[in-house]
Amino acid sequence: FSITTNSAGALSRSSIVLGASKSKDKTISRSKWAAARGYGVAAVGTAVADDATIDAGLMTNAEGLEYVRLVNSKGDTADAYLYGGVVTSYVVGGQEYIAVRPDAKMDGSKPISGGLSHCWPQFGPGDIQQHGFARNVNWTVRSMTNNKVELEMAPSDYTKAMWDKSFLCVFTVTLEESKLATSMRVENTGAESFDFQAALHSYFTVSAIENLSIAGSFKGKEFLNKMVDGGTMQTEDRDEITISEEYDRVYMGVNDPVLKDSGIGKTVSDIIYFLTVCNTAGYKDTVLWNPYGNEGMGYNNFVCVESVKFDPVTLEGGASWTGDMSLVVGDL
Ligand SMILES: O=P(O)(O)OC[C@H]1O[C@@H](O)[C@H](O)[C@@H](O)[C@@H]1O
């Protein structure tokens, strides 16, 4: 591995050089770079099959926002933005599974409309701003390696003005060989308890909304249908959900959705691609959201299948809560 400088001269990348080693100008040691940034960086030893070079590490987008690119030994990648602590990309075998809306702002002027976006400490409307503040503050890098990053968010004057609680959030993203694992840990660093809701407002790529069905334990479950009279409880009678109108539904007690897309990457007509959302801790409910018909939002190329803790968590002083969600491509 080597650390190189980007065109602006900032120390920001580690290159995974695959196959024969390649010499690079302006390289410094990984530990020196990490020390300069104040990061804890573990030694890593991934290697990829052929002779390609894939950059991992801290990057800056065209509009000046920083993100961390993760790379695994197979050449899969994931990107996590510091602004909002949001994962905006997960590419497996050349296929992008996470969506960012075409109308998304990537310059920090508003929350990024896409990715695995945090709704914290509130989901939806309520006492503070819609979906809370985690998605529009800058998180900091606590540690990173080529395939794992820990981002953290602590109170600031901005957050205290709307929600004056003592907390620390640590969001860990790990690009494993066969999945993308995320873990959101909320710590109550004070003595007083506080309540919060949590969600990963996940946008996934679909080839076309008509090609999508969503399996899971939906049948017989109650859901809050926000599209009916501002919010009406209904009961689902289907095993698999298909979407052909605007959706904004909170499915209570459903946390095992599997997206099936009959179009993604299709080279053979009967291939169906699966993306399994594994909610293994904390997230209990699933929100389905699609602004059907809204061309400006690009409704036909994404679906939001959100991992949610809808009923508030009460966290005592000194206690912590964890929400774990992993994405697995293909059959489990
Ligand atoms: O436009 P926002 O704030 O990113 O929210 C998008 C949607 O997010 C969903 O989770 C909500 O249920 C919807 O009501 C909302 O419209």
Side-chain angles (χ1 to χ4, degrees), residues 16-22 46-54 73 75:
I16 298 182
V17 181
L18 312 171
S21 67
K22 298 177 181 178
T46 41
V48 197
D50 40 42
D51 202 20
T53 297
I54 301 170
S73 67

mmCIF file with all atom_site columns, all heavy atoms in Angstrom, residues 16-22 46-54 73 75:
data_model
loop_
_atom_site.group_PDB
_atom_site.id
_atom_site.type_symbol
_atom_site.label_atom_id
_atom_site.label_alt_id
_atom_site.label_comp_id
_atom_site.label_asym_id
_atom_site.label_entity_id
_atom_site.label_seq_id
_atom_site.pdbx_PDB_ins_code
_atom_site.Cartn_x
_atom_site.Cartn_y
_atom_site.Cartn_z
_atom_site.occupancy
_atom_site.B_iso_or_equiv
_atom_site.pdbx_formal_charge
_atom_site.auth_seq_id
_atom_site.auth_comp_id
_atom_site.auth_asym_id
_atom_site.auth_atom_id
_atom_site.pdbx_PDB_model_num
ATOM 1   N N   . ILE A 1 16 ? -4.519  0.798   -3.377  1.00 0.00 ? 16 ILE A N   1
ATOM 2   C CA  . ILE A 1 16 ? -4.295  -0.632  -3.343  1.00 0.00 ? 16 ILE A CA  1
ATOM 3   C C   . ILE A 1 16 ? -3.734  -0.974  -4.712  1.00 0.00 ? 16 ILE A C   1
ATOM 4   O O   . ILE A 1 16 ? -4.432  -0.893  -5.712  1.00 0.00 ? 16 ILE A O   1
ATOM 5   C CB  . ILE A 1 16 ? -5.601  -1.396  -3.104  1.00 0.00 ? 16 ILE A CB  1
ATOM 6   C CG1 . ILE A 1 16 ? -6.177  -0.993  -1.752  1.00 0.00 ? 16 ILE A CG1 1
ATOM 7   C CG2 . ILE A 1 16 ? -5.354  -2.887  -3.156  1.00 0.00 ? 16 ILE A CG2 1
ATOM 8   C CD1 . ILE A 1 16 ? -7.433  -1.736  -1.423  1.00 0.00 ? 16 ILE A CD1 1
ATOM 9   N N   . VAL A 1 17 ? -2.469  -1.288  -4.738  1.00 0.00 ? 17 VAL A N   1
ATOM 10  C CA  . VAL A 1 17 ? -1.836  -1.613  -6.006  1.00 0.00 ? 17 VAL A CA  1
ATOM 11  C C   . VAL A 1 17 ? -1.854  -3.119  -6.143  1.00 0.00 ? 17 VAL A C   1
ATOM 12  O O   . VAL A 1 17 ? -1.325  -3.841  -5.312  1.00 0.00 ? 17 VAL A O   1
ATOM 13  C CB  . VAL A 1 17 ? -0.398  -1.081  -6.064  1.00 0.00 ? 17 VAL A CB  1
ATOM 14  C CG1 . VAL A 1 17 ? 0.236   -1.423  -7.407  1.00 0.00 ? 17 VAL A CG1 1
ATOM 15  C CG2 . VAL A 1 17 ? -0.390  0.419   -5.838  1.00 0.00 ? 17 VAL A CG2 1
ATOM 16  N N   . LEU A 1 18 ? -2.487  -3.554  -7.167  1.00 0.00 ? 18 LEU A N   1
ATOM 17  C CA  . LEU A 1 18 ? -2.739  -4.976  -7.315  1.00 0.00 ? 18 LEU A CA  1
ATOM 18  C C   . LEU A 1 18 ? -1.718  -5.593  -8.245  1.00 0.00 ? 18 LEU A C   1
ATOM 19  O O   . LEU A 1 18 ? -1.354  -5.011  -9.249  1.00 0.00 ? 18 LEU A O   1
ATOM 20  C CB  . LEU A 1 18 ? -4.139  -5.178  -7.880  1.00 0.00 ? 18 LEU A CB  1
ATOM 21  C CG  . LEU A 1 18 ? -5.196  -4.356  -7.143  1.00 0.00 ? 18 LEU A CG  1
ATOM 22  C CD1 . LEU A 1 18 ? -6.499  -4.416  -7.880  1.00 0.00 ? 18 LEU A CD1 1
ATOM 23  C CD2 . LEU A 1 18 ? -5.333  -4.860  -5.745  1.00 0.00 ? 18 LEU A CD2 1
ATOM 24  N N   . GLY A 1 19 ? -1.288  -6.759  -7.911  1.00 0.00 ? 19 GLY A N   1
ATOM 25  C CA  . GLY A 1 19 ? -0.312  -7.424  -8.759  1.00 0.00 ? 19 GLY A CA  1
ATOM 26  C C   . GLY A 1 19 ? 1.053   -6.796  -8.570  1.00 0.00 ? 19 GLY A C   1
ATOM 27  O O   . GLY A 1 19 ? 1.461   -6.487  -7.452  1.00 0.00 ? 19 GLY A O   1
ATOM 28  N N   . ALA A 1 20 ? 1.762   -6.592  -9.650  1.00 0.00 ? 20 ALA A N   1
ATOM 29  C CA  . ALA A 1 20 ? 3.112   -6.049  -9.575  1.00 0.00 ? 20 ALA A CA  1
ATOM 30  C C   . ALA A 1 20 ? 3.093   -4.682  -8.895  1.00 0.00 ? 20 ALA A C   1
ATOM 31  O O   . ALA A 1 20 ? 2.202   -3.884  -9.124  1.00 0.00 ? 20 ALA A O   1
ATOM 32  C CB  . ALA A 1 20 ? 3.679   -5.909  -10.979 1.00 0.00 ? 20 ALA A CB  1
ATOM 33  N N   . SER A 1 21 ? 4.076   -4.439  -8.026  1.00 0.00 ? 21 SER A N   1
ATOM 34  C CA  . SER A 1 21 ? 4.094   -3.159  -7.329  1.00 0.00 ? 21 SER A CA  1
ATOM 35  C C   . SER A 1 21 ? 4.440   -2.041  -8.301  1.00 0.00 ? 21 SER A C   1
ATOM 36  O O   . SER A 1 21 ? 5.202   -2.215  -9.241  1.00 0.00 ? 21 SER A O   1
ATOM 37  C CB  . SER A 1 21 ? 5.091   -3.189  -6.179  1.00 0.00 ? 21 SER A CB  1
ATOM 38  O OG  . SER A 1 21 ? 6.380   -3.284  -6.694  1.00 0.00 ? 21 SER A OG  1
ATOM 39  N N   . LYS A 1 22 ? 3.812   -0.894  -8.060  1.00 0.00 ? 22 LYS A N   1
ATOM 40  C CA  . LYS A 1 22 ? 4.006   0.243   -8.947  1.00 0.00 ? 22 LYS A CA  1
ATOM 41  C C   . LYS A 1 22 ? 4.599   1.377   -8.138  1.00 0.00 ? 22 LYS A C   1
ATOM 42  O O   . LYS A 1 22 ? 4.182   1.615   -7.016  1.00 0.00 ? 22 LYS A O   1
ATOM 43  C CB  . LYS A 1 22 ? 2.659   0.682   -9.525  1.00 0.00 ? 22 LYS A CB  1
ATOM 44  C CG  . LYS A 1 22 ? 1.999   -0.400  -10.358 1.00 0.00 ? 22 LYS A CG  1
ATOM 45  C CD  . LYS A 1 22 ? 0.652   0.053   -10.853 1.00 0.00 ? 22 LYS A CD  1
ATOM 46  C CE  . LYS A 1 22 ? 0.013   -1.060  -11.671 1.00 0.00 ? 22 LYS A CE  1
ATOM 47  N NZ  . LYS A 1 22 ? -1.315  -0.726  -12.151 1.00 0.00 ? 22 LYS A NZ  1
ATOM 48  N N   . THR A 1 46 ? -4.883  -6.364  2.501   1.00 0.00 ? 46 THR A N   1
ATOM 49  C CA  . THR A 1 46 ? -5.711  -6.863  1.406   1.00 0.00 ? 46 THR A CA  1
ATOM 50  C C   . THR A 1 46 ? -4.926  -6.869  0.096   1.00 0.00 ? 46 THR A C   1
ATOM 51  O O   . THR A 1 46 ? -4.031  -6.070  -0.108  1.00 0.00 ? 46 THR A O   1
ATOM 52  C CB  . THR A 1 46 ? -6.960  -5.995  1.224   1.00 0.00 ? 46 THR A CB  1
ATOM 53  O OG1 . THR A 1 46 ? -6.600  -4.642  1.376   1.00 0.00 ? 46 THR A OG1 1
ATOM 54  C CG2 . THR A 1 46 ? -8.031  -6.374  2.188   1.00 0.00 ? 46 THR A CG2 1
ATOM 55  N N   . ALA A 1 47 ? -5.281  -7.759  -0.742  1.00 0.00 ? 47 ALA A N   1
ATOM 56  C CA  . ALA A 1 47 ? -4.666  -7.809  -2.061  1.00 0.00 ? 47 ALA A CA  1
ATOM 57  C C   . ALA A 1 47 ? -5.726  -8.252  -3.040  1.00 0.00 ? 47 ALA A C   1
ATOM 58  O O   . ALA A 1 47 ? -6.627  -9.002  -2.689  1.00 0.00 ? 47 ALA A O   1
ATOM 59  C CB  . ALA A 1 47 ? -3.521  -8.805  -2.080  1.00 0.00 ? 47 ALA A CB  1
ATOM 60  N N   . VAL A 1 48 ? -5.683  -7.781  -4.221  1.00 0.00 ? 48 VAL A N   1
ATOM 61  C CA  . VAL A 1 48 ? -6.719  -8.106  -5.193  1.00 0.00 ? 48 VAL A CA  1
ATOM 62  C C   . VAL A 1 48 ? -6.108  -8.888  -6.340  1.00 0.00 ? 48 VAL A C   1
ATOM 63  O O   . VAL A 1 48 ? -4.902  -8.857  -6.565  1.00 0.00 ? 48 VAL A O   1
ATOM 64  C CB  . VAL A 1 48 ? -7.425  -6.840  -5.696  1.00 0.00 ? 48 VAL A CB  1
ATOM 65  C CG1 . VAL A 1 48 ? -8.736  -7.192  -6.371  1.00 0.00 ? 48 VAL A CG1 1
ATOM 66  C CG2 . VAL A 1 48 ? -7.657  -5.895  -4.574  1.00 0.00 ? 48 VAL A CG2 1
ATOM 67  N N   . ALA A 1 49 ? -6.982  -9.549  -7.028  1.00 0.00 ? 49 ALA A N   1
ATOM 68  C CA  . ALA A 1 49 ? -6.545  -10.524 -8.017  1.00 0.00 ? 49 ALA A CA  1
ATOM 69  C C   . ALA A 1 49 ? -5.646  -9.992  -9.124  1.00 0.00 ? 49 ALA A C   1
ATOM 70  O O   . ALA A 1 49 ? -4.551  -10.470 -9.321  1.00 0.00 ? 49 ALA A O   1
ATOM 71  C CB  . ALA A 1 49 ? -7.777  -11.165 -8.623  1.00 0.00 ? 49 ALA A CB  1
ATOM 72  N N   . ASP A 1 50 ? -6.063  -9.011  -9.873  1.00 0.00 ? 50 ASP A N   1
ATOM 73  C CA  . ASP A 1 50 ? -5.260  -8.687  -11.042 1.00 0.00 ? 50 ASP A CA  1
ATOM 74  C C   . ASP A 1 50 ? -4.474  -7.414  -10.859 1.00 0.00 ? 50 ASP A C   1
ATOM 75  O O   . ASP A 1 50 ? -4.113  -7.053  -9.755  1.00 0.00 ? 50 ASP A O   1
ATOM 76  C CB  . ASP A 1 50 ? -6.122  -8.651  -12.293 1.00 0.00 ? 50 ASP A CB  1
ATOM 77  C CG  . ASP A 1 50 ? -7.449  -7.999  -12.023 1.00 0.00 ? 50 ASP A CG  1
ATOM 78  O OD1 . ASP A 1 50 ? -7.429  -6.983  -11.314 1.00 0.00 ? 50 ASP A OD1 1
ATOM 79  O OD2 . ASP A 1 50 ? -8.471  -8.519  -12.486 1.00 0.00 ? 50 ASP A OD2 1
ATOM 80  N N   . ASP A 1 51 ? -4.219  -6.759  -11.959 1.00 0.00 ? 51 ASP A N   1
ATOM 81  C CA  . ASP A 1 51 ? -3.205  -5.722  -11.964 1.00 0.00 ? 51 ASP A CA  1
ATOM 82  C C   . ASP A 1 51 ? -3.790  -4.314  -11.867 1.00 0.00 ? 51 ASP A C   1
ATOM 83  O O   . ASP A 1 51 ? -3.115  -3.337  -12.154 1.00 0.00 ? 51 ASP A O   1
ATOM 84  C CB  . ASP A 1 51 ? -2.399  -5.882  -13.266 1.00 0.00 ? 51 ASP A CB  1
ATOM 85  C CG  . ASP A 1 51 ? -1.048  -5.245  -13.156 1.00 0.00 ? 51 ASP A CG  1
ATOM 86  O OD1 . ASP A 1 51 ? -0.594  -5.032  -12.024 1.00 0.00 ? 51 ASP A OD1 1
ATOM 87  O OD2 . ASP A 1 51 ? -0.474  -4.942  -14.214 1.00 0.00 ? 51 ASP A OD2 1
ATOM 88  N N   . ALA A 1 52 ? -5.048  -4.226  -11.476 1.00 0.00 ? 52 ALA A N   1
ATOM 89  C CA  . ALA A 1 52 ? -5.686  -2.905  -11.417 1.00 0.00 ? 52 ALA A CA  1
ATOM 90  C C   . ALA A 1 52 ? -5.240  -2.144  -10.178 1.00 0.00 ? 52 ALA A C   1
ATOM 91  O O   . ALA A 1 52 ? -4.746  -2.724  -9.222  1.00 0.00 ? 52 ALA A O   1
ATOM 92  C CB  . ALA A 1 52 ? -7.199  -3.080  -11.380 1.00 0.00 ? 52 ALA A CB  1
ATOM 93  N N   . THR A 1 53 ? -5.427  -0.840  -10.195 1.00 0.00 ? 53 THR A N   1
ATOM 94  C CA  . THR A 1 53 ? -5.150  -0.022  -9.019  1.00 0.00 ? 53 THR A CA  1
ATOM 95  C C   . THR A 1 53 ? -6.457  0.609   -8.572  1.00 0.00 ? 53 THR A C   1
ATOM 96  O O   . THR A 1 53 ? -7.156  1.221   -9.368  1.00 0.00 ? 53 THR A O   1
ATOM 97  C CB  . THR A 1 53 ? -4.157  1.108   -9.354  1.00 0.00 ? 53 THR A CB  1
ATOM 98  O OG1 . THR A 1 53 ? -2.928  0.511   -9.743  1.00 0.00 ? 53 THR A OG1 1
ATOM 99  C CG2 . THR A 1 53 ? -3.922  2.003   -8.150  1.00 0.00 ? 53 THR A CG2 1
ATOM 100 N N   . ILE A 1 54 ? -6.794  0.420   -7.297  1.00 0.00 ? 54 ILE A N   1
ATOM 101 C CA  . ILE A 1 54 ? -8.017  1.007   -6.762  1.00 0.00 ? 54 ILE A CA  1
ATOM 102 C C   . ILE A 1 54 ? -7.634  1.879   -5.590  1.00 0.00 ? 54 ILE A C   1
ATOM 103 O O   . ILE A 1 54 ? -6.940  1.433   -4.680  1.00 0.00 ? 54 ILE A O   1
ATOM 104 C CB  . ILE A 1 54 ? -9.003  -0.078  -6.299  1.00 0.00 ? 54 ILE A CB  1
ATOM 105 C CG1 . ILE A 1 54 ? -9.352  -0.998  -7.473  1.00 0.00 ? 54 ILE A CG1 1
ATOM 106 C CG2 . ILE A 1 54 ? -10.265 0.549   -5.727  1.00 0.00 ? 54 ILE A CG2 1
ATOM 107 C CD1 . ILE A 1 54 ? -10.116 -2.228  -7.063  1.00 0.00 ? 54 ILE A CD1 1
ATOM 108 N N   . SER A 1 73 ? -10.786 -6.931  -1.054  1.00 0.00 ? 73 SER A N   1
ATOM 109 C CA  . SER A 1 73 ? -9.797  -7.641  -1.872  1.00 0.00 ? 73 SER A CA  1
ATOM 110 C C   . SER A 1 73 ? -10.343 -8.074  -3.221  1.00 0.00 ? 73 SER A C   1
ATOM 111 O O   . SER A 1 73 ? -9.586  -8.397  -4.119  1.00 0.00 ? 73 SER A O   1
ATOM 112 C CB  . SER A 1 73 ? -9.270  -8.857  -1.110  1.00 0.00 ? 73 SER A CB  1
ATOM 113 O OG  . SER A 1 73 ? -10.307 -9.787  -0.961  1.00 0.00 ? 73 SER A OG  1
ATOM 114 N N   . GLY A 1 75 ? -12.132 -6.026  -5.024  1.00 0.00 ? 75 GLY A N   1
ATOM 115 C CA  . GLY A 1 75 ? -12.305 -4.822  -5.820  1.00 0.00 ? 75 GLY A CA  1
ATOM 116 C C   . GLY A 1 75 ? -13.674 -4.201  -5.672  1.00 0.00 ? 75 GLY A C   1
ATOM 117 O O   . GLY A 1 75 ? -14.005 -3.241  -6.377  1.00 0.00 ? 75 GLY A O   1
#
